[in-house]
Coordinates of all heavy atoms in Angstrom, one line a residue:
M1491 N -2.5 24.8 6.3 CA -1.4 24.0 7.0 C -0.3 23.8 6.1 O -0.3 23.4 4.9 CB -2.2 22.6 7.3 CG -1.2 21.4 7.7 SD -2.0 19.9 8.1 CE -3.0 20.2 9.4
G1492 N 0.9 24.2 6.7 CA 2.1 24.0 6.0 C 2.7 22.6 6.0 O 2.2 21.7 6.6
P1493 N 3.6 22.2 5.1 CA 4.2 21.0 5.0 C 4.8 20.4 6.2 O 4.8 19.2 6.5 CB 5.2 21.1 3.9 CG 5.5 22.5 3.7 CD 4.3 23.3 4.2
R1494 N 5.3 21.2 7.1 CA 5.9 20.7 8.4 C 4.8 20.4 9.5 O 5.1 19.7 10.4 CB 6.7 21.8 9.0 CG 7.8 22.1 8.0 CD 9.3 22.2 8.2 NE 9.9 21.9 9.3 CZ 10.7 20.8 9.5 NH1 10.8 19.9 8.5 NH2 11.3 20.5 10.5
A1495 N 3.5 20.8 9.2 CA 2.5 20.5 10.1 C 1.9 19.1 9.8 O 1.1 18.6 10.6 CB 1.3 21.5 10.2
S1496 N 2.3 18.5 8.7 CA 1.9 17.1 8.3 C 2.9 16.2 7.9 O 4.1 16.7 7.8 CB 0.9 17.3 7.2 OG 1.4 17.9 6.0
L1497 N 2.7 15.0 7.8 CA 3.6 14.0 7.3 C 2.9 13.1 6.3 O 1.7 13.0 6.3 CB 4.3 13.3 8.5 CG 3.4 12.4 9.4 CD1 3.7 11.0 9.2 CD2 3.5 12.8 10.8
I1498 N 3.8 12.5 5.4 CA 3.2 11.5 4.5 C 3.5 10.2 4.9 O 4.7 9.7 5.3 CB 3.9 11.8 3.1 CG1 3.7 13.2 2.7 CG2 3.4 10.7 2.1 CD1 2.2 13.7 2.4
V1499 N 2.5 9.3 5.0 CA 2.7 7.9 5.3 C 2.2 7.1 4.1 O 1.0 7.3 3.6 CB 1.8 7.5 6.6 CG1 2.0 6.1 7.0 CG2 2.1 8.4 7.7
V1500 N 3.0 6.1 3.6 CA 2.7 5.3 2.5 C 2.7 3.9 2.8 O 3.7 3.4 3.5 CB 3.6 5.6 1.2 CG1 3.2 4.9 0.1 CG2 3.7 7.1 1.0
G1501 N 1.8 3.2 2.4 CA 1.6 1.7 2.5 C 1.6 1.0 1.2 O 1.0 1.6 0.3
Y1502 N 2.2 -0.2 1.2 CA 2.2 -0.9 -0.2 C 1.8 -2.3 0.0 O 1.8 -2.8 1.1 CB 3.8 -1.1 -0.6 CG 4.4 0.4 -0.8 CD1 5.2 1.0 0.3 CD2 4.3 1.0 -2.0 CE1 5.8 2.3 0.0 CE2 4.9 2.3 -2.2 CZ 5.6 2.8 -1.2 OH 6.3 4.1 -1.3
A1503 N 1.3 -2.9 -1.1 CA 0.9 -4.2 -1.2 C 1.0 -4.8 -2.6 O 0.8 -4.0 -3.5 CB -0.5 -4.5 -0.6
K1504 N 1.3 -6.0 -2.8 CA 1.4 -6.6 -4.2 C 0.0 -6.7 -4.7 O -1.0 -7.0 -3.8 CB 2.1 -8.0 -4.1 CG 3.5 -7.8 -3.9 CD 4.2 -9.2 -4.0 CE 5.7 -9.2 -3.9 NZ 6.3 -10.4 -4.1
V1505 N -0.2 -6.7 -5.9 CA -1.5 -6.8 -6.6 C -1.6 -8.2 -7.1 O -0.6 -8.7 -7.7 CB -1.7 -5.8 -7.8 CG1 -3.0 -5.9 -8.4 CG2 -1.6 -4.3 -7.2
P1506 N -2.7 -8.8 -6.9 CA -2.8 -10.2 -7.4 C -2.9 -10.4 -8.8 O -3.4 -9.6 -9.5 CB -4.1 -10.7 -6.7 CG -4.8 -9.6 -6.4 CD -3.9 -8.4 -6.1
R1507 N -2.4 -11.3 -9.4 CA -2.3 -11.6 -10.7 C -3.7 -11.7 -11.4 O -3.9 -11.5 -12.5 CB -1.5 -12.9 -11.1 CG 0.0 -12.7 -10.9 CD 0.7 -13.9 -11.4 NE 2.1 -13.9 -11.0 CZ 3.1 -13.2 -11.6 NH1 2.8 -12.6 -12.8 NH2 4.4 -13.3 -11.3
T1508 N -4.6 -12.1 -10.5 CA -6.1 -12.3 -11.0 C -6.7 -11.1 -11.0 O -7.9 -11.0 -11.6 CB -6.8 -13.3 -10.1 OG1 -6.7 -12.7 -8.7 CG2 -6.2 -14.7 -10.1
S1509 N -6.2 -9.9 -10.6 CA -6.8 -8.6 -10.6 C -6.6 -7.9 -11.9 O -5.4 -8.0 -12.6 CB -6.3 -7.8 -9.5 OG -6.7 -6.4 -9.7
G1510 N -7.5 -7.2 -12.5 CA -7.3 -6.4 -13.7 C -6.2 -5.3 -13.5 O -5.6 -4.9 -14.4
A1511 N -6.0 -4.8 -12.3 CA -5.1 -3.9 -12.1 C -3.6 -4.4 -12.1 O -2.7 -3.6 -12.2 CB -5.3 -3.4 -10.5
H1512 N -3.5 -5.7 -12.1 CA -2.1 -6.3 -12.1 C -1.4 -5.8 -13.4 O -0.2 -5.7 -13.4 CB -2.1 -7.8 -11.9 CG -0.8 -8.4 -11.9 ND1 -0.1 -8.8 -13.0 CD2 0.0 -8.6 -10.8 CE1 1.1 -9.2 -12.7 NE2 1.2 -9.1 -11.3
G1513 N -2.2 -5.8 -14.5 CA -1.6 -5.4 -15.8 C -1.0 -4.0 -15.8 O -0.1 -3.7 -16.5
A1514 N -1.5 -3.2 -14.9 CA -1.0 -1.8 -14.9 C 0.2 -1.6 -13.9 O 0.9 -0.7 -14.0 CB -2.2 -0.9 -14.4
A1515 N 0.1 -2.3 -12.8 CA 1.2 -2.2 -11.7 C 1.3 -3.5 -11.0 O 0.3 -4.2 -10.8 CB 0.8 -1.0 -10.9
D1516 N 2.5 -3.8 -10.4 CA 2.7 -4.9 -9.5 C 2.3 -4.6 -8.1 O 2.0 -5.5 -7.3 CB 4.1 -5.4 -9.6 CG 4.5 -6.0 -11.0 OD1 3.4 -6.5 -11.6 OD2 5.6 -6.1 -11.3
L1517 N 2.4 -3.2 -7.8 CA 2.1 -2.8 -6.4 C 1.0 -1.9 -6.3 O 0.8 -1.1 -7.2 CB 3.4 -2.1 -5.8 CG 4.6 -3.0 -5.5 CD1 5.9 -2.2 -5.0 CD2 4.3 -4.2 -4.5
L1518 N 0.3 -1.9 -5.2 CA -0.7 -1.0 -4.9 C -0.1 0.1 -3.9 O 0.4 -0.6 -2.8 CB -2.0 -1.5 -4.4 CG -3.0 -0.7 -3.8 CD1 -3.6 0.3 -5.0 CD2 -4.2 -1.4 -3.2
A1519 N -0.1 1.3 -3.9 CA 0.4 2.1 -2.9 C -0.8 3.1 -2.4 O -1.7 3.5 -3.2 CB 1.4 3.1 -3.4
V1520 N -0.9 3.1 -1.1 CA -1.9 4.1 -0.5 C -1.1 5.3 0.3 O -0.2 4.9 1.1 CB -2.9 3.4 0.5 CG1 -3.7 4.3 1.1 CG2 -3.8 2.4 -0.3
S1521 N -1.3 6.5 -0.2 CA -0.4 7.6 0.3 C -1.4 8.5 1.2 O -2.5 8.8 0.7 CB 0.2 8.5 -0.7 OG 1.0 7.7 -1.6
L1522 N -1.0 8.7 2.5 CA -1.8 9.4 3.4 C -1.0 10.7 3.8 O 0.0 10.5 4.3 CB -2.2 8.6 4.6 CG -2.8 7.2 4.3 CD1 -3.0 6.4 5.6 CD2 -4.1 7.4 3.6
R1523 N -1.7 11.8 3.7 CA -1.1 13.0 4.4 C -1.9 13.1 5.8 O -3.1 13.1 5.8 CB -1.5 14.3 3.6 CG -0.8 15.6 4.2 CD -1.0 16.7 3.4 NE -0.3 17.8 4.0 CZ -0.5 19.1 3.4 NH1 -1.2 19.2 2.3 NH2 0.1 20.1 4.0
V1524 N -1.1 13.2 6.9 CA -1.6 13.1 8.2 C -1.1 14.3 9.0 O 0.1 14.7 9.0 CB -1.0 11.7 8.9 CG1 -1.4 11.7 10.3 CG2 -1.3 10.6 8.1
D1525 N -2.1 14.9 9.8 CA -1.8 16.0 10.6 C -1.0 15.4 11.7 O -1.3 14.5 12.5 CB -3.2 16.5 11.1 CG -3.0 17.8 12.1 OD1 -2.3 17.5 13.1 OD2 -3.5 18.8 11.8
R1526 N 0.2 16.0 11.9 CA 1.2 15.6 13.0 C 0.6 15.7 14.3 O 0.9 14.8 15.2 CB 2.4 16.4 12.9 CG 3.3 16.1 11.8 CD 4.6 17.0 11.9 NE 5.5 16.9 10.7 CZ 6.5 16.1 10.5 NH1 6.8 15.2 11.4 NH2 7.1 16.1 9.4
E1527 N -0.2 16.7 14.6 CA -0.8 16.9 16.0 C -1.9 16.0 16.4 O -1.9 15.4 17.5 CB -1.1 18.4 16.1 CG -1.6 18.8 17.5 CD -1.9 20.3 17.6 OE1 -1.2 21.1 17.1 OE2 -2.8 20.6 18.2
T1528 N -2.7 15.7 15.4 CA -3.9 15.0 15.7 C -3.9 13.5 15.2 O -4.7 12.6 15.6 CB -5.2 15.6 15.2 OG1 -5.1 15.6 13.7 CG2 -5.4 17.1 15.6
G1529 N -3.0 13.2 14.2 CA -3.1 11.8 13.6 C -4.1 11.6 12.7 O -4.4 10.6 12.3
T1530 N -4.8 12.7 12.4 CA -5.9 12.6 11.4 C -5.5 12.6 10.0 O -4.7 13.4 9.5 CB -7.0 13.7 11.6 OG1 -7.4 13.7 13.1 CG2 -8.1 13.6 10.7
V1531 N -6.1 11.8 9.1 CA -5.8 11.7 7.7 C -6.5 12.9 7.0 O -7.6 13.1 7.3 CB -6.3 10.3 7.0 CG1 -6.0 10.4 5.6 CG2 -5.5 9.2 7.6
I1532 N -5.7 13.8 6.4 CA -6.2 15.0 5.8 C -6.2 14.9 4.3 O -6.7 15.9 3.6 CB -5.6 16.2 6.3 CG1 -4.0 16.2 6.1 CG2 -5.9 16.4 7.8 CD1 -3.2 17.4 6.5
D1533 N -5.4 13.9 3.7 CA -5.5 13.9 2.3 C -5.1 12.4 1.9 O -4.4 11.8 2.7 CB -4.5 14.8 1.5 CG -4.8 15.1 0.1 OD1 -5.8 14.5 -0.3 OD2 -4.0 15.8 -0.5
V1534 N -5.7 11.9 0.8 CA -5.4 10.5 0.4 C -5.2 10.4 -1.1 O -5.9 11.1 -1.8 CB -6.7 9.6 0.7 CG1 -6.5 8.2 0.3 CG2 -7.1 9.7 2.2
D1535 N -4.2 9.7 -1.4 CA -4.1 9.3 -2.9 C -3.8 7.7 -2.9 O -3.2 7.1 -2.0 CB -3.0 10.0 -3.4 CG -3.0 10.0 -5.1 OD1 -4.0 9.4 -5.6 OD2 -2.1 10.5 -5.7
S1536 N -3.9 7.1 -4.0 CA -3.6 5.6 -4.2 C -3.3 5.4 -5.7 O -3.6 6.4 -6.5 CB -4.6 4.9 -3.8 OG -5.8 4.7 -4.7
T1537 N -2.6 4.4 -6.0 CA -2.3 4.0 -7.3 C -3.4 3.0 -7.9 O -3.1 2.4 -8.8 CB -0.8 3.3 -7.3 OG1 -0.8 2.2 -6.6 CG2 0.1 4.3 -7.0
A1538 N -4.5 2.9 -7.3 CA -5.6 2.1 -7.8 C -5.9 2.6 -9.2 O -5.8 3.8 -9.6 CB -6.8 2.3 -6.9
V1539 N -6.1 1.7 -10.2 CA -6.2 2.0 -11.6 C -7.4 2.8 -11.8 O -7.4 3.8 -12.6 CB -6.4 0.7 -12.3 CG1 -6.6 0.9 -13.8 CG2 -5.1 -0.2 -12.2
S1540 N -8.5 2.6 -11.2 CA -9.8 3.3 -11.6 C -10.0 4.5 -10.6 O -9.8 4.6 -9.4 CB -11.0 2.3 -11.2 OG -12.2 3.0 -10.9
S1541 N -10.4 5.6 -11.3 CA -10.7 6.9 -10.5 C -11.9 6.7 -9.5 O -11.9 7.3 -8.4 CB -11.0 8.1 -11.4 OG -12.3 7.8 -12.1
V1542 N -12.7 5.8 -9.8 CA -13.8 5.4 -8.9 C -13.2 4.9 -7.5 O -13.7 5.2 -6.5 CB -14.9 4.5 -9.5 CG1 -15.9 4.0 -8.4 CG2 -15.7 5.2 -10.6
V1543 N -12.3 4.0 -7.7 CA -11.7 3.3 -6.5 C -10.9 4.2 -5.7 O -11.0 4.3 -4.5 CB -10.9 2.1 -7.0 CG1 -10.2 1.5 -5.7 CG2 -11.8 1.0 -7.6
R1544 N -10.1 5.1 -6.5 CA -9.3 6.1 -5.9 C -10.2 7.1 -5.0 O -9.9 7.4 -3.8 CB -8.5 7.0 -6.8 CG -7.3 6.1 -7.3 CD -6.3 6.9 -8.2 NE -7.0 7.7 -9.3 CZ -7.2 7.3 -10.4 NH1 -6.9 6.1 -10.8 NH2 -7.6 8.0 -11.4
S1545 N -11.3 7.5 -5.6 CA -12.3 8.4 -4.8 C -12.8 7.7 -3.5 O -12.9 8.2 -2.5 CB -13.3 8.8 -5.8 OG -14.3 9.6 -5.1
W1546 N -13.3 6.4 -3.8 CA -13.8 5.6 -2.7 C -12.8 5.4 -1.6 O -13.2 5.6 -0.4 CB -14.3 4.2 -3.3 CG -15.1 3.5 -2.2 CD1 -16.4 3.5 -1.8 CD2 -14.5 2.4 -1.4 NE1 -16.6 2.7 -0.8 CE2 -15.5 2.0 -0.6 CE3 -13.2 1.9 -1.3 CZ2 -15.4 0.9 0.4 CZ3 -13.0 0.8 -0.4 CH2 -14.1 0.4 0.5
V1547 N -11.6 5.1 -1.9 CA -10.5 5.0 -0.8 C -10.4 6.2 -0.1 O -10.2 6.3 1.1 CB -9.3 4.4 -1.4 CG1 -8.1 4.5 -0.5 CG2 -9.4 3.1 -2.0
A1548 N -10.3 7.4 -0.9 CA -10.2 8.7 -0.1 C -11.3 9.0 0.8 O -11.1 9.4 1.8 CB -10.1 9.8 -1.2
D1549 N -12.6 8.7 0.3 CA -13.7 8.9 1.1 C -13.6 8.0 2.4 O -14.0 8.4 3.6 CB -15.0 8.5 0.4 CG -15.4 9.5 -0.6 OD1 -14.8 10.7 -0.7 OD2 -16.4 9.2 -1.4
L1550 N -13.2 6.8 2.3 CA -13.1 5.8 3.3 C -12.0 6.3 4.4 O -12.3 6.2 5.6 CB -12.6 4.5 2.8 CG -12.3 3.4 3.8 CD1 -13.6 2.9 4.5 CD2 -11.6 2.2 3.1
L1551 N -11.0 6.9 4.0 CA -9.9 7.2 5.0 C -9.8 8.7 5.4 O -9.1 8.9 6.5 CB -8.5 6.8 4.2 CG -8.4 5.2 4.0 CD1 -7.1 5.0 3.2 CD2 -8.4 4.6 5.2
L1552 N -10.4 9.6 4.7 CA -10.3 11.1 5.1 C -11.0 11.2 6.5 O -12.1 10.7 6.7 CB -11.0 11.9 4.0 CG -10.2 12.3 2.9 CD1 -11.1 13.0 1.8 CD2 -9.0 13.1 3.2
G1553 N -10.3 11.8 7.4 CA -10.8 12.1 8.7 C -10.5 11.0 9.7 O -10.8 11.1 10.9
V1554 N -10.0 9.9 9.3 CA -9.7 8.8 10.2 C -8.5 9.0 11.0 O -7.6 9.7 10.5 CB -9.4 7.4 9.4 CG1 -9.0 6.4 10.1 CG2 -10.8 7.0 8.6
D1555 N -8.5 8.7 12.2 CA -7.4 8.8 13.2 C -6.5 7.6 13.0 O -6.9 6.5 13.4 CB -8.0 8.9 14.7 CG -6.9 9.0 15.6 OD1 -5.6 8.9 15.3 OD2 -7.1 9.3 16.9
L1556 N -5.3 7.8 12.6 CA -4.3 6.7 12.4 C -3.9 6.0 13.7 O -3.4 4.9 13.7 CB -3.1 7.1 11.6 CG -3.3 7.3 10.1 CD1 -2.0 7.5 9.4 CD2 -4.0 6.1 9.5
S1557 N -4.1 6.7 14.8 CA -3.8 6.0 16.1 C -4.9 5.2 16.5 O -4.7 4.4 17.7 CB -3.4 7.1 17.1 OG -4.5 8.0 17.4
A1558 N -6.1 5.1 16.0 CA -7.3 4.4 16.3 C -7.2 3.0 15.8 O -6.3 2.7 15.0 CB -8.5 5.2 15.9
D1559 N -8.2 2.2 16.2 CA -8.2 0.8 15.8 C -8.6 0.7 14.2 O -9.4 1.5 13.7 CB -9.4 0.0 16.5 CG -9.5 -1.4 16.1 OD1 -8.6 -2.0 15.5 OD2 -10.7 -1.9 16.4
I1560 N -7.8 -0.1 13.5 CA -7.9 -0.2 12.0 C -9.1 -1.0 11.7 O -9.7 -1.0 10.5 CB -6.6 -0.7 11.5 CG1 -6.7 -0.6 9.9 CG2 -6.4 -2.1 11.9 CD1 -5.4 -1.0 9.3
S1561 N -9.6 -1.9 12.5 CA -10.7 -2.8 12.3 C -11.8 -2.4 11.6 O -12.3 -3.0 10.5 CB -11.1 -3.6 13.5 OG -10.0 -4.2 14.1
P1562 N -12.4 -1.2 12.0 CA -13.6 -0.7 11.2 C -13.3 -0.4 9.8 O -14.1 -0.6 8.8 CB -14.0 0.5 12.0 CG -13.4 0.4 13.3 CD -12.2 -0.4 13.1
V1563 N -12.2 0.1 9.5 CA -11.8 0.4 8.1 C -11.7 -0.9 7.2 O -12.2 -0.9 6.1 CB -10.4 1.2 8.0 CG1 -10.0 1.3 6.6 CG2 -10.6 2.6 8.6
L1564 N -11.0 -1.9 7.8 CA -10.9 -3.2 7.1 C -12.1 -3.9 6.9 O -12.5 -4.4 5.9 CB -9.9 -4.1 7.9 CG -8.4 -3.5 8.1 CD1 -7.6 -4.4 8.8 CD2 -7.9 -3.2 6.7
A1565 N -13.0 -3.7 7.9 CA -14.4 -4.3 7.8 C -15.2 -3.6 6.7 O -15.9 -4.2 5.9 CB -15.1 -4.3 9.1
E1566 N -15.1 -2.4 6.5 CA -15.8 -1.7 5.5 C -15.3 -2.1 4.2 O -16.1 -2.3 3.2 CB -15.6 -0.2 5.7 CG -16.4 0.8 4.6 CD -17.9 0.6 4.7 OE1 -18.4 0.3 5.8 OE2 -18.5 0.6 3.7
I1567 N -14.0 -2.4 4.1 CA -13.5 -2.9 2.8 C -14.1 -4.3 2.4 O -14.5 -4.6 1.3 CB -11.9 -3.0 2.7 CG1 -11.4 -1.5 2.8 CG2 -11.4 -3.7 1.6 CD1 -9.9 -1.4 3.0
D1568 N -14.1 -5.1 3.5 CA -14.7 -6.4 3.2 C -16.2 -6.3 2.8 O -16.7 -7.1 2.0 CB -14.6 -7.3 4.6 CG -13.3 -7.8 5.0 OD1 -12.4 -7.8 4.0 OD2 -13.0 -7.9 6.2
E1569 N -16.9 -5.4 3.4 CA -18.3 -5.3 3.1 C -18.7 -4.6 1.8 O -19.7 -4.9 1.2 CB -19.0 -4.5 4.3 CG -19.1 -5.3 5.6 CD -19.6 -4.5 6.7 OE1 -20.4 -3.5 6.4 OE2 -19.4 -4.8 7.9
S1570 N -17.8 -3.7 1.4 CA -18.1 -2.8 0.3 C -17.2 -2.8 -1.0 O -17.5 -2.2 -1.9 CB -18.2 -1.3 0.8 OG -19.1 -1.2 1.8
Y1571 N -16.1 -3.4 -0.8 CA -15.2 -3.5 -2.0 C -15.0 -4.8 -2.5 O -14.3 -5.7 -2.0 CB -13.7 -2.9 -1.5 CG -12.8 -2.8 -2.6 CD1 -13.1 -1.7 -3.7 CD2 -11.7 -3.5 -2.7 CE1 -12.1 -1.6 -4.7 CE2 -10.7 -3.3 -3.8 CZ -11.0 -2.3 -4.7 OH -10.1 -2.1 -5.8
L1572 N -15.8 -5.2 -3.6 CA -15.9 -6.5 -4.1 C -15.0 -6.5 -5.3 O -15.3 -6.3 -6.4 CB -17.3 -6.7 -4.5 CG -18.4 -6.5 -3.4 CD1 -19.9 -6.8 -3.9 CD2 -18.1 -7.3 -2.3
S1573 N -13.7 -6.8 -5.0 CA -12.7 -7.0 -6.1 C -11.7 -8.0 -5.7 O -11.5 -8.3 -4.5 CB -12.0 -5.6 -6.2 OG -10.8 -5.7 -6.9
N1574 N -11.0 -8.5 -6.7 CA -9.9 -9.3 -6.4 C -8.6 -8.7 -5.6 O -7.9 -9.4 -5.0 CB -9.3 -10.0 -7.7 CG -10.2 -11.1 -8.3 OD1 -11.2 -11.5 -7.7 ND2 -10.0 -11.4 -9.6
A1575 N -8.8 -7.4 -5.8 CA -7.7 -6.6 -5.1 C -8.0 -6.2 -3.8 O -7.2 -5.3 -3.1 CB -7.4 -5.4 -6.0
A1576 N -9.1 -6.5 -3.1 CA -9.5 -6.2 -1.8 C -8.4 -6.5 -0.8 O -8.1 -5.6 0.0 CB -10.9 -6.8 -1.5
G1577 N -7.8 -7.7 -0.8 CA -6.8 -8.0 0.0 C -5.6 -7.1 0.0 O -4.9 -6.8 1.0
S1578 N -5.3 -6.8 -1.3 CA -4.2 -5.8 -1.6 C -4.4 -4.4 -0.9 O -3.6 -3.9 -0.3 CB -3.8 -5.7 -3.1 OG -3.5 -6.9 -3.5
L1579 N -5.7 -4.0 -1.1 CA -6.0 -2.7 -0.5 C -5.9 -2.8 1.0 O -5.4 -1.8 1.7 CB -7.4 -2.2 -0.9 CG -7.9 -1.0 -0.4 CD1 -7.0 0.1 -0.7 CD2 -9.4 -0.7 -0.9
K1580 N -6.5 -3.8 1.6 CA -6.4 -3.9 3.0 C -4.9 -4.0 3.5 O -4.5 -3.3 4.5 CB -7.1 -5.2 3.5 CG -8.7 -5.0 3.4 CD -9.5 -6.3 3.6 CE -8.9 -7.2 4.7 NZ -9.8 -8.3 4.8
Q1581 N -4.1 -4.7 2.7 CA -2.6 -4.8 3.1 C -2.0 -3.5 3.1 O -1.2 -3.1 3.9 CB -2.0 -5.9 2.2 CG -0.5 -6.0 2.5 CD -0.2 -6.5 3.9 OE1 -1.0 -7.3 4.4 NE2 0.7 -6.0 4.5
A1582 N -2.2 -2.7 2.0 CA -1.6 -1.4 1.8 C -2.0 -0.4 2.9 O -1.1 0.3 3.5 CB -1.9 -0.8 0.4
I1583 N -3.3 -0.5 3.3 CA -3.8 0.3 4.4 C -3.1 -0.1 5.7 O -2.6 0.7 6.5 CB -5.3 0.5 4.5 CG1 -5.7 1.2 3.2 CG2 -5.7 1.1 5.7 CD1 -7.2 1.1 2.9
S1584 N -3.1 -1.4 5.9 CA -2.3 -1.9 7.2 C -1.0 -1.5 7.2 O -0.5 -1.2 8.3 CB -2.6 -3.4 7.2 OG -4.0 -3.7 7.2
D1585 N -0.3 -1.5 6.1 CA 1.1 -1.2 6.0 C 1.4 0.2 6.4 O 2.2 0.6 7.2 CB 1.6 -1.5 4.7 CG 3.2 -1.4 4.5 OD1 4.0 -1.7 5.5 OD2 3.6 -0.9 3.5
A1586 N 0.4 1.1 5.9 CA 0.6 2.5 6.3 C 0.3 2.6 7.8 O 0.9 3.5 8.5 CB -0.4 3.3 5.5
W1587 N -0.6 2.0 8.3 CA -0.9 2.0 9.7 C 0.1 1.7 10.6 O 0.5 2.3 11.6 CB -2.2 1.1 10.0 CG -3.3 1.7 10.8 CD1 -3.5 1.8 12.2 CD2 -4.5 2.3 10.4 NE1 -4.5 2.4 12.5 CE2 -5.3 2.7 11.4 CE3 -5.0 2.6 9.0 CZ2 -6.5 3.3 11.2 CZ3 -6.2 3.2 9.0 CH2 -6.9 3.5 10.0
R1588 N 0.9 0.5 10.1 CA 2.0 0.1 10.9 C 3.2 1.1 10.9 O 3.9 1.3 11.8 CB 2.5 -1.3 10.4 CG 1.7 -2.5 10.9 CD 2.4 -3.8 10.4 NE 2.5 -3.9 9.1 CZ 1.6 -4.4 8.2 NH1 0.3 -4.8 8.8 NH2 1.8 -4.6 7.0
R1589 N 3.3 1.8 9.6 CA 4.4 2.7 9.6 C 4.1 3.9 10.5 O 5.0 4.5 11.1 CB 4.6 3.2 8.1 CG 5.1 2.3 7.2 CD 5.1 2.7 5.8 NE 5.4 1.8 4.8 CZ 6.5 1.2 4.4 NH1 7.6 1.7 5.0 NH2 6.6 0.3 3.6
Y1590 N 2.9 4.3 10.5 CA 2.5 5.4 11.4 C 2.8 5.0 12.9 O 3.3 5.9 13.7 CB 1.0 5.9 11.2 CG 0.7 7.0 12.1 CD1 1.2 8.3 11.8 CD2 -0.1 6.9 13.1 CE1 0.9 9.4 12.5 CE2 -0.5 7.9 13.9 CZ 0.1 9.2 13.6 OH -0.2 10.3 14.5
A1591 N 2.4 3.8 13.2 CA 2.5 3.3 14.7 C 4.0 3.4 15.0 O 4.4 3.8 16.0 CB 2.0 2.0 14.7
S1592 N 4.8 2.9 14.1 CA 6.2 2.9 14.3 C 6.9 4.3 14.4 O 7.6 4.7 15.4 CB 7.0 2.2 13.1 OG 8.3 2.3 13.2
Y1593 N 6.3 5.3 13.6 CA 6.7 6.7 13.7 C 6.3 7.2 15.1 O 7.2 7.9 15.8 CB 6.1 7.5 12.7 CG 6.0 9.0 12.9 CD1 7.2 9.8 12.7 CD2 4.8 9.6 13.3 CE1 7.1 11.2 12.9 CE2 4.9 10.9 13.6 CZ 5.9 11.7 13.4 OH 5.9 13.0 13.6
R1594 N 5.1 6.8 15.6 CA 4.7 7.4 16.9 C 5.4 6.9 18.1 O 5.6 7.4 19.1 CB 3.2 7.1 16.9 CG 2.3 7.8 16.1 CD 1.9 9.2 16.4 NE 1.2 9.2 17.7 CZ 0.7 10.2 18.3 NH1 0.7 11.3 17.6 NH2 0.1 10.1 19.4
A1595 N 5.9 5.6 17.9 CA 6.7 5.0 19.0 C 8.0 5.5 19.2 O 8.7 5.2 20.2 CB 6.7 3.5 18.6
H1596 N 8.5 6.2 18.3 CA 9.9 6.9 18.4 C 9.9 8.2 19.0 O 9.2 9.0 19.1 CB 10.6 6.9 17.0 CG 11.1 5.5 16.6 ND1 10.3 4.8 15.7 CD2 12.0 4.7 17.0 CE1 10.8 3.6 15.6 NE2 11.8 3.5 16.2

């Protein structure tokens, strides 16, 4: 798949001061490479401090259709990501979802 067959969608959120990640960065970014034709996430990266969290976020989002309902993804974070930064992660993913919806609307 060439670069023109996909697009990059990035979502951002502030990291809470109570999170250990706050010392490393003020913002959390979630970067998604999305297949233009299907809307499916084909690659994921984030600025999460821990490689374990970056890997978990990738597992959570790979293969997800960005035009689908975001609720199951956010529910999985609520159930499985026990961190002060859970809200930031949900916000960054929601921000990316909104950006993609805006792109699709044009």
Side-chain angles (χ1 to χ4, degrees):
M1491 172 178 287
R1494 306 229 3 109
S1496 63
L1497 60 115
I1498 303 296
V1499 182
V1500 183
Y1502 301 95
K1504 288 187 178 186
V1505 176
R1507 292 185 187 275
T1508 57
S1509 170
H1512 186 270
D1516 292 338
L1517 291 176
L1518 172 66
V1520 174
S1521 304
L1522 308 173
R1523 185 175 180 190
V1524 180
D1525 181 296
R1526 285 183 191 265
E1527 188 174 315
T1528 66
T1530 303
V1531 176
I1532 56 174
D1533 200 3
V1534 178
D1535 196 8
S1536 75
T1537 59
V1539 174
S1540 156
S1541 64
V1542 170
V1543 174
R1544 288 191 305 273
S1545 177
W1546 184 83
V1547 170
D1549 288 347
L1550 176 68
L1551 295 172
L1552 280 173
V1554 169
D1555 179 355
L1556 281 189
S1557 64
D1559 181 21
I1560 190 174
S1561 299
V1563 171
L1564 300 181
E1566 183 63 30
I1567 293 168
D1568 285 338
E1569 292 176 21
S1570 302
Y1571 187 66
L1572 309 178
S1573 166
N1574 290 345
S1578 297
L1579 179 58
K1580 288 170 44 176
Q1581 179 61 41
I1583 292 170
S1584 296
D1585 187 41
W1587 229 273
R1588 281 190 298 275
R1589 287 178 199 276
Y1590 182 74
S1592 177
Y1593 162 79
R1594 295 279 298 191
H1596 288 97

